[in-house]
Amino acid sequence: MATESSDVAPQATTTPRYSAEESYPAENVTDSEGEKTHYAKVDVESTKDSHDGGDVVLQDERDIATHVITIDDDPTANPWTFRSFFIGIGLSAFGGVLAEIYYFKPQTVYVSTLFLAIIAYVIGIFMEAIIPRNGWLRYLNPHPFNKKENAFIVIMASAAANSALATEVLAVQRLYYDITPNPGASIFLLFSSQLLGYGLGGLMRTVLLYPSKMLYPGVLPLVSMFDALFKDGANATKKLRLFYIAFACIFVWEIIPEWIFPLLTGISVFCLANQKSANFTYIFGGSNGNEGLGLLSIGLDWQYISGGTNPFTIPLQAQFSGLIGYLLCIVCFCIVWYKNIWKAQNFPFLSQLLYYENGTEYNQLLILNSNYEVDPTLLAEQGLPYYSSTWVVYLIASNMSVGATFVHMFLWNYSDLKGAWSWATPTALKHSWNTFSWKFWQNDGMRDQDVGNPELDPHYVQMLKYPDAPNSWYFLTLLISVIIALVVIYKTNSTLPWWGFLVACLLAVISLLLTGALYAITGLIVNIQPLIQMVGGFLHPGKPMANMYFVLFGYNSVSQGQLLLRDLKIAQYTKLPPRAAFTAQIIGTLFGAVLNFVLMNTIIDIQTPILLSPEGSNIWSGQQPQQYNSQAVAWGGFAHEIFASGKRYQWVSWSYLAGLAAPVPFWLVHRYCPKLRADYYYTPIIIGAIGVLSVGINSSITSYFAVSWFSQWFLRTHYPRWFAKYNYILAAALDGGTQVMVFILSFAVAGAAGTAHLFPEWAGAYQEGNYDRCYYIDT
């Protein structure tokens, strides 16, 4: 799920070898579970300015971690302040509510971590300035606001600012099964599913966190910004001035496309010229959810331009591959539609639902018995369901990108992987066996190692002065989560047996261990959700609801484990004591989960008809629960009948193997004909993007590529110093101003807390159809 929750599941993307002069990959600052992996430029110029690195060439991860961000630590800086908890809980509330609102948007959008960091800084400085330091008030403002307080707040707020995947499960049960688990069981389901991954990730700190190889490049812009804000006084003032101006401008502007003038969500000259053609809608429309491909449409709503990927953070090479995939997506979708492949024209052009062959929506309740399992007799009466053909293309592309990712990483980043998994060599395993203790909860990570060991990460060495959050804390978190989960899967009508839950946990352990190193080195998020879904489907045939819960614990635990390790790396880079980081993560996660649950129920109570419709509106959409449900029904209900070899959608399963072969030709061409620059093509990005238009509002794609080009080519090459100092601050300001206004409008006029109040109809706010005036197709 978007969380990534992402988190339409996040598509696997990667990058080949990299050097200091090139682009360093970085994750989407959200999540989980996001929908895509994104990339951020770490400009060497910024390291010169901040750390007097001169013309140094950064050779490896250790150089990057010691030149891009400071190693210095102020052990007197105290994060345990009233200010930290007050701002942290406040931003956790904001982030948790906003993340759940975004979950029900027609486009996958995430809460920006950079934005949370900037807002925390502004509020912290404000409290420092206005609260006196005399008398008892000195406890509220004991010292100047410091970097560790800011990091503490960001970790707490970012832990809350993810829509928990368990809310997706609960939403599907309410919308499609007419089941409403009691609130107590629901809350405990949220807690256990969110914290289980934390326990697993915490126990893997020695392998996936402490070594220098585990760079987590996605956090470098954030930590670099912390260094700038708390070290560069004059530059920090200039950066904040830019932030305030950009924040205010986008804050005011967002009222216009979001409410007053929604035509600006997608301006399509073609649709304005021909408002009676369904083909024009399919190809050029895109201002509403699941409307069309949005070809050459211009979007001016920053919420959708920067929804899942801030265009200021993606290097040109990744953009180029994404553009190729986008164009191929248009070609593939048009081919399957106009050639009527998989009976495409029987169903809506874009949809995540299941259908009968005649195009009516599939009623899954008619094939389930009282235990919510597929009844063969009832299934024979109803027949096997169909997907819209464009959604099948998305599934094939997503699965191919997973296979392509592993081969691409092996071919282009073999040395990185070899170093990252050096713990698995025979020598390392023998040493681990010789030093193994069954009392692993007493192990304090790497603290028994020689501090003078040159192989230790210098940032980690600085952390050794602080008491660690011992393994016993993470083991206890894991144990409690497992016990609670075993209880709630029987209290929430999950149909998942206890042994199925344990298999899901085992898959999560293996997946986190294998994909965690890739994520730590490159920022790559490998989307294992389809793989977990497939395993669950074949293990529990005829049980769609069991499949949902199997994915919840098998996939969400990996996402949560990666988020925990990412946040612990932020703590390591900022020298936030480990116990403070643990506290912030637990509070943020639990508080955010409760808010997710409350708001999910509120939105479903008010917006159920829109959430069940294939198209939704340009404000609300049920596309995420729709796809999660349809995947669970298809894989959990009849994996053998429609995905097995020789069946209707067999290529959804075979696409994993096809993906394994995709990067090989590019690698061979580059090896023998390097002048052709085949290394410029990132096959997992290209393949993953082939399904990118399968859902949501697509009118912003042209604007997205235009802004990306402006930032990563024009600004970076013509104004490199400005780019290095202000690019990420501007990105955070635009995301922040937009997200605050969307938060306000969601409750004020969009119906998040009651009746929606649409702007009075006029030429720019056409309320009877698509906002871009494309022909409205009633599905």
Side-chain angles (χ1 to χ4, degrees), residues 688-762:
I690 291 175
V692 71
L693 301 177
S694 62
V695 63
I697 289 177
N698 294 322
S699 58
S700 61
I701 302 294
T702 303
S703 300
Y704 165 80
F705 282 115
V707 174
S708 295
W709 172 85
F710 174 76
S711 168
Q712 292 291 325
W713 182 80
F714 182 76
L715 288 179
R716 185 173 61 85
T717 59
H718 289 72
Y719 301 95
R721 192 169 297 275
W722 193 99
F723 176 91
K725 290 182 178 179
Y726 301 114
N727 186 67
Y728 293 116
I729 294 293
L730 180 59
L734 294 176
D735 279 354
T738 298
Q739 291 177 1
V740 172
M741 179 51 70
V742 168
F743 178 84
I744 294 171
L745 291 177
S746 295
F747 289 95
V749 298
T755 306
H757 302 282
L758 300 178
F759 196 82
E761 185 168 334
W762 67 289

Side-chain angles (χ1 to χ4, degrees), residues 274-287:
N274 186 345
Q275 300 177 27
K276 299 183 181 298
S277 170
N279 290 328
F280 271 51
T281 298
Y282 295 146
I283 297 174
F284 302 110
S287 64

Side-chain angles (χ1 to χ4, degrees), residues 162 300 329 337 389 402 495 626 712 722:
N162 290 285
L300 299 177
C329 179
W337 175 259
S389 294
V402 173
T495 72
Q626 286 173 15
Q712 292 291 325
W722 193 99

